[in-house]
């Protein structure tokens, strides 16, 4: 009897998982779209897919509201269906959040790699809100980079680490003395060029 109950329970879990997968299939397809595209390509914003998912979620939520009200009124046997719909709602919500967040992260990466002007084939694939986000992010990044000293600092240059631990520094203004981690004092004067270990980070 115990083995039979265990088998029925396992079968019930498999059936529940299958139903959830079927209900959340459209959400999973959004994620697959991004997986099929490489990091430097954004597929077209799938507005139709997102609309279908939201409509499915609204229908599931409405059905759950009706079953909850019926349960409160005394009807039994609806709890499992409510749980299944709720699990499907949660899964769809996670898929939507992953879709939006991953696209935002790729846009952020493209800003650092390509600059503030996106190629037409990428820009055409963005929704209006993504275009607004990209513009605002670019403005914030530029404002932050300009806050470094009198001339600012372009953080989007030289994103890859140097192959050599030694670097050459060309001074654009009189800076004073720079003290490296090993105690070496390097005078930085305008229009001069000095060599140093790239691990030097401390100034006097």
């Amino acid at each position: 009897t115990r083995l039979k109950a265990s088998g029925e329970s396992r079968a019930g879990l498999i059936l529940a998982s299958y139903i959830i997968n079927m209900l959340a299939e459209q959400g999973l397809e959004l994620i697959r779209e991004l997986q099929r595209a490489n990091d430097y390509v954004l597929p077209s914003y799938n507005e139709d897919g997102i609309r279908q998912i939201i409509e499915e979620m609204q229908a599931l939520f409405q059905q759950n509201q009706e079953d909850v009200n019926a349960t409160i009124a005394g009807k039994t046997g609806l709890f499992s269906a409510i749980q299944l719909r709720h699990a499907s709602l949660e899964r769809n919500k996670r898929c939507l959040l992953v879709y939006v967040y991953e696209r935002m992260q790729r846009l952020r990466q493209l800003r650092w790699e390509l600059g503030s002007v996106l190629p037409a084939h990428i820009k055409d694939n963005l929704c209006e809100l993504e275009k607004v986000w990209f513009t605002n992010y670019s403005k914030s990044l530029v404002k932050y980079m300009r806050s470094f000293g009198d001339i600012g600092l372009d953080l989007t240059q030289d994103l890859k680490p140097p192959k050599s631990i030694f670097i050459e520094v060309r001074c654009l203004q009189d800076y004073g003395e720079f003290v490296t981690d090993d105690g070496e004092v390097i005078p930085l004067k305008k229009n001069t060029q000095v060599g140093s270990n790239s691990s030097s980070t401390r100034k006097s």
Side-chain angles (χ1 to χ4, degrees):
T1 303
R2 186 178 300 174
L3 289 174
K4 181 179 179 180
S6 176
E8 291 176 349
S9 176
R10 190 179 299 110
L13 289 174
I14 294 173
L15 178 61
S17 178
Y18 174 77
I19 294 174
I20 292 172
N21 286 336
M22 290 294 293
L23 290 173
E25 179 61 28
Q26 189 65 39
L28 291 175
E29 182 56 31
L30 285 179
I31 308 304
R32 295 189 188 106
E33 279 184 15
L34 293 177
Q35 288 179 331
R36 287 192 290 264
N38 62 51
D39 292 340
Y40 293 95
V41 174
L42 270 177
S44 297
Y45 185 79
N46 195 336
E47 188 172 350
D48 289 338
I50 290 177
R51 177 180 51 77
Q52 292 173 17
I53 294 170
I54 293 176
E55 289 175 353
E56 180 183 276
M57 294 176 71
Q58 290 172 337
L60 290 171
F61 181 79
Q62 181 63 33
Q63 291 170 358
N64 265 7
Q65 286 290 97
E66 294 173 359
D67 282 359
V68 167
N69 291 334
T71 301
I72 294 174
K75 189 173 182 179
T76 60
L78 301 176
F79 188 66
S80 295
I82 293 172
Q83 282 187 311
L84 278 174
R85 294 193 199 102
H86 181 74
S88 299
L89 281 167
E90 290 294 312
R91 187 166 188 174
N92 272 334
K93 182 178 72 174
R94 288 195 299 271
C95 288
L96 288 175
L97 290 174
V98 168
Y99 182 76
V100 173
Y101 180 77
E102 176 62 21
R103 288 179 66 89
M104 184 183 71
Q105 289 297 99
R106 293 192 186 189
L107 271 177
R108 178 180 177 274
Q109 180 183 355
L110 289 171
R111 170 59 182 88
W112 284 78
E113 297 287 343
L114 303 180
S116 60
V117 180
L118 291 173
H121 71 278
I122 293 178
K123 190 173 182 179
D124 291 343
N125 288 340
L126 306 181
C127 69
E128 288 303 316
L129 288 177
E130 287 176 329
K131 293 176 183 178
V132 171
W133 183 89
F134 182 81
T135 299
N136 291 336
Y137 178 78
S138 293
K139 290 179 179 178
S140 297
L141 181 60
V142 170
K143 182 179 179 181
Y144 178 72
M145 292 191 295
R146 287 176 178 172
S147 67
F148 290 92
D150 297 330
I151 59 175
L153 178 64
D154 189 353
L155 298 175
T156 64
Q157 299 296 317
D158 302 321
L159 296 178
K160 295 182 179 180
K163 296 181 179 180
S164 172
I165 64 173
F166 295 98
I167 59 174
E168 282 194 347
V169 178
R170 177 172 295 173
C171 304
L172 301 179
Q173 60 185 21
D174 290 327
Y175 184 84
E177 292 184 339
F178 185 93
V179 182
T180 66
D181 287 340
D182 57 8
E184 181 185 1
V185 178
I186 303 175
L188 299 177
K189 297 181 180 180
K190 187 175 181 179
N191 297 326
T192 63
Q193 191 165 317
V194 296
S196 177
N197 190 305
S198 62
S199 62
S200 302
T201 57
R202 190 161 46 110
K203 67 179 180 181
S204 60

